Amino acid sequence: MSRTRARARKPAARLRPPRLRPPRLSPRDVLHVGSAGLRARPMRVFLSALGIAIGIATMIAVVGISSSSQAKLLRELDRLGTNMLVATPGQGMFSGQDTTLPKEAPGMVSRIPGVESVGTTGDVAESVRRSENIPKEETGGVAVKAAKDDLLGTLRASMASGTWLNDATGRYPAVVLGDVSARRLGITAPGQQVFIGGRYFTVIGILGPVPLAPEIERSALIGWDAAERLLGFDGHPTAVYERSADDRVAAVRELIARTANPQTPSAVSVTDPSAALQAKAATEGAFSTLLLGLGGIALLVGGVGVANTMIISVLERRHEIGLRRSLGGTKGQIRIQFVTESLLLSGLGGLAGIVLGGAATAVYARTGDMPWVVPLWAVGGGFAATLVIGTLAGLYPAVRAARLSPTLALAAA
C-alpha cells in the first residue's frame, strides 16, 4: 500500500513548476541601463553636472594655487638660503639712545668660525634726487647707503643691468640703485645721473629684486671710500650681513652680537631675514581654508541638483520602471540602476571640475611665474567626494523607484 502511494506521488513531484530566478545583470549591463537616462537627456545632464564641476574646480584651484605659491616660496628660499643673519645697532639698555657699531665690526664678524662671507652697509645722511632742481624734501623714500664690494655676493643678489661697485668705481661718484629706487627716480638704464650731496653721481648699475634685504631695493648705494671722502660718511656700519655654513647658523647667532660690539653686545640686534619667507611658506594654505569651505558648499549645492534631477527622472520614467519590474526586474536591480546613473552624473561633473581646476591653476602659475603644482591627494580626494555626493544624492530616488508598484507604474503611464 505504501509503495502504491509513493508511486502516485512521483508524477506529482515531476509536474511541479520550476522555481523562477531573477535575471542577473553583469557590470556591463548595469553600466548600460545606468547611462540610458543620461544619453536621453544630455542638456539636463550638462546642467546638473555643472554644479558638481564648479564645486570640484573651486577646491582643486584653491589647493593648486596655494601649493604653487608655496612651491615658489620654497624654491626662492633654496636659492637665497636660510643661512644669513643681519646685525644692526639697537638702543642702549640703560640710556635708551641709539648706538653705533664699531668700524671694526665687519672684520671681527668675518673671523667667527663658520662665517663664509660678510657684506656691510652704512647710512649716509644725504638725500638722492633726480636733479638739483628738485627740492631736498622730495626724496621719494630713497636712502643713501655706503656699501662695500662684497655686499652683492653675501646677499646673493643679481644685477638687472650694469655692473656692481668695485675697488675702482667705489672711489669715485658712482652709484648703484635698487630696483625700487630706480623706478622712483625714473632711471631706466645705467649711464644716467642722480644728484647726491651737492654733486652728480653716475648710475653704473641697477639691482634686481633682493627679497632678503628689501631695504637695499629702496637705496642708492655708493662706494665706502667715496662716501667717506665726498659725503662726510663717518665709517660706522649700520648693517652687517653675514653668510655662514648651514650647520653653524645657530652657533654664529650666539656669537655675532658679542663679536660685533664687545663693549655693549646687548645693543646689537640680530635678525634672520629668511624667517619671514619661511613663515609665509609654512602658512601659505591658512587663508585657503575659507575658500575650500566655499568650494565645499558649491559641491553640496551640486549634489542637491543631482538629487533633484534623479527624482524628476524617476517620476518621468515610471513606465520604464513598471515595465522592467513586470518583466522580472527586482527592486535591487532598480536601485542599482538609479544609483549608477547618479554616480555617472556626479563622476562626469567631478572629472570636468578636475580639468577646470587644473587649468585655472596652470593659468595662475604661468602668469605669476610659479611652478604648476596640483597635489595628487587633492585630485583623488576631490573625485572621491564627487562619488560620495553622487551615492548620497541617488539613494533616495533609487529607493523611491524600487518601491513603485509595477501595475500602478504602468497604469500611471
Side-chain angles (χ1 to χ4, degrees):
M1 184 70 178
S2 59
R3 293 180 179 178
T4 306
R5 290 179 180 178
R7 290 176 182 176
R9 289 176 182 174
K10 285 183 180 179
R14 291 174 183 172
L15 295 175
R16 184 180 298 171
R19 188 176 180 180
L20 296 178
R21 295 182 179 180
R24 295 183 178 180
L25 294 179
S26 66
R28 182 178 179 181
D29 296 331
V30 172
L31 185 63
H32 179 75
V33 297
S35 61
L38 305 183
R39 295 193 302 269
R41 300 168 180 83
M43 182 55 66
R44 181 184 296 176
V45 170
F46 171 76
L47 294 176
S48 299
L50 185 61
I52 296 287
I54 291 174
I56 292 297
T58 303
M59 299 177 71
I60 294 293
V62 166
V63 175
I65 290 172
S66 176
S67 299
S68 298
S69 300
Q70 188 177 43
K72 181 182 180 181
L73 286 172
L74 293 176
R75 185 176 65 180
E76 190 74 8
L77 277 173
D78 289 339
R79 184 182 69 83
L80 297 173
T82 57
N83 58 343
M84 189 175 80
L85 298 175
V86 184
T88 56
Q91 292 183 342
M93 182 179 296
F94 301 105
S95 65
Q97 297 179 352
D98 293 337
T99 61
T100 59
L101 294 176
K103 294 181 180 180
E104 301 80 10
M108 293 187 293
V109 169
S110 66
R111 289 191 288 271
I112 297 176
V115 172
E116 297 175 345
S117 63
V118 175
T120 312
T121 62
D123 290 342
V124 179
E126 294 289 349
S127 61
V128 54
R129 293 169 285 164
R130 188 66 179 84
S131 72
E132 58 184 320
N133 298 321
I134 297 177
K136 278 188 176 183
E137 296 78 15
E138 297 182 12
T139 62
V142 178
V144 180
K145 293 181 181 291
K148 293 191 174 182
D149 54 6
D150 48 10
L151 178 66
L152 186 70
T154 302
L155 295 178
R156 294 184 183 175
S158 59
M159 301 299 300
S161 59
T163 59
W164 176 246
L165 298 165
N166 54 39
D167 290 339
T169 56
R171 297 190 183 97
Y172 298 99
V175 61
V176 174
L177 299 176
D179 62 327
V180 175
S181 59
R183 289 197 301 270
R184 290 178 179 177
L185 292 171
I187 303 297
T188 57
Q192 299 174 280
Q193 291 187 320
V194 292
F195 194 73
I196 304 175
R199 67 170 62 222
Y200 281 96
F201 281 66
T202 301
V203 177
I204 63 172
I206 298 174
L207 286 170
V210 190
L212 292 185
E215 68 277 4
I216 300 297
E217 298 176 343
R218 296 162 177 78
S219 301
L221 305 169
I222 59 178
W224 203 270
D225 293 339
E228 291 179 325
R229 183 168 53 86
L230 302 176
L231 301 177
F233 174 53
D234 61 7
H236 286 277
T238 52
V240 178
Y241 305 86
E242 68 81 26
R243 289 274 183 182
S244 56
D246 291 335
D247 58 346
R248 297 288 300 174
V249 174
V252 172
R253 179 187 283 273
E254 294 294 327
L255 297 173
I256 190 171
R258 295 194 295 269
T259 304
N261 193 349
Q263 300 296 326
T264 54
S266 60
V268 178
S269 175
V270 180
T271 58
D272 179 2
S274 66
L277 287 178
Q278 294 180 58
K280 187 177 180 181
T283 60
E284 182 62 37
F287 183 71
S288 63
T289 304
L290 174 62
L291 298 178
L292 279 176
L294 294 177
I297 293 174
L299 185 60
L300 289 177
V301 171
V304 172
V306 171
N308 185 53
T309 299
M310 296 305 302
I311 291 173
I312 295 175
S313 179
V314 170
L315 294 176
E316 292 179 346
R317 297 162 65 187
R318 284 178 296 178
H319 178 74
E320 174 191 337
I321 296 169
L323 185 61
R324 285 198 61 202
R325 289 295 310 281
S326 64
L327 293 177
T330 65
K331 292 182 178 181
Q333 291 172 351
I334 298 298
R335 286 194 292 267
I336 290 175
Q337 173 187 348
F338 283 92
V339 170
T340 301
E341 184 174 333
S342 178
L343 281 172
L344 289 174
L345 182 57
S346 59
L348 289 174
L351 290 175
I354 290 172
V355 173
L356 290 174
T361 304
V363 172
Y364 181 85
R366 186 176 182 85
T367 55
D369 192 24
M370 302 176 183
W372 179 53
V373 179
V374 177
L376 291 178
W377 65 263
V379 176
F383 189 70
T386 63
L387 297 183
V388 172
I389 291 292
T391 302
L392 296 177
L395 279 178
Y396 173 72
V399 171
R400 182 172 179 176
R403 288 177 177 176
L404 285 177
S405 170
T407 53
L408 294 180
L410 289 172

